[in-house]
Amino acid sequence: MAAAVVLPLAACGSDSGGGSATGGDAVAMMQSAMDGEGAVTCEITDEEQPGSMSIAGEDRYRILAQSGGETVNLLRDGSDVYVWKDGSPTGMKTTADSQTGMALPNVQEAIDQEKAAPTVDMECSTDGDVDAKLTAPDDVEFQTAP
């Protein structure tokens, strides 16, 4: 199961308060989560590429992206990487340093690009329950790729 996951990160707007943020404040929240300072979930509301991202460290994140009317999940938990579609009974498991030909999203690079030129609407909030989102589902059978 080859997967190309587009990382639609960008932000517009201003701080919306109440533990959530948009614009530069949302990007700052993402950077803090990448640095291991808490966890954040961001909802991307761009009509062309809606999705979400949960981050709890540079090697712990989950991206949900819409592709062809389906939701594709990419989960990285340390060196383990899981890819599956919502509703599918099977998925793929590999490692971050494998030679599967699957390019993992560079979350830090995407955050850095957003600091320079935001383009997509997004709202981020701190997430005390992000660990539940960063666990591979039990009801999906993952096939190990080399």
Side-chain angles (χ1 to χ4, degrees):
M1 176 178 168
V5 177
V6 177
L7 192 58
L9 287 185
C12 299
S14 60
D15 184 18
S16 60
S20 65
T22 60
D25 293 335
V27 175
M29 290 176 77
M30 293 173 70
Q31 184 64 62
S32 291
M34 282 293 289
D35 293 341
E37 300 169 11
V40 65
T41 293
C42 301
E43 297 296 327
I44 301 161
T45 57
D46 182 78
E47 288 183 23
E48 292 181 28
Q49 293 185 352
S52 67
M53 174 180 287
S54 298
I55 305 171
E58 67 180 319
D59 64 354
R60 270 192 94 214
Y61 54 83
R62 180 174 178 179
I63 300 168
L64 282 77
Q66 300 294 318
S67 176
E70 299 180 302
T71 300
V72 177
N73 296 265
L74 183 138
L75 168 67
R76 180 171 180 182
D77 187 7
S79 64
D80 293 330
V81 177
Y82 303 85
V83 179
W84 73 99
K85 292 180 183 176
D86 279 359
S88 176
T90 60
M92 180 182 70
K93 177 183 177 186
T94 189
T95 60
D97 60 352
S98 74
Q99 301 299 313
T100 63
M102 181 177 74
L104 291 177
N106 186 327
V107 177
Q108 184 61 59
E109 182 179 295
I111 291 171
D112 291 345
Q113 289 174 357
E114 292 316 308
K115 289 177 185 175
T119 59
V120 177
D121 288 332
M122 165 177 73
E123 182 174 353
C124 296
S125 59
T126 55
D127 193 338
D129 193 30
V130 75
D131 286 336
K133 295 174 184 160
L134 298 178
T135 303
D138 293 333
D139 60 346
V140 175
E141 181 182 334
F142 290 96
Q143 302 167 354
T144 303

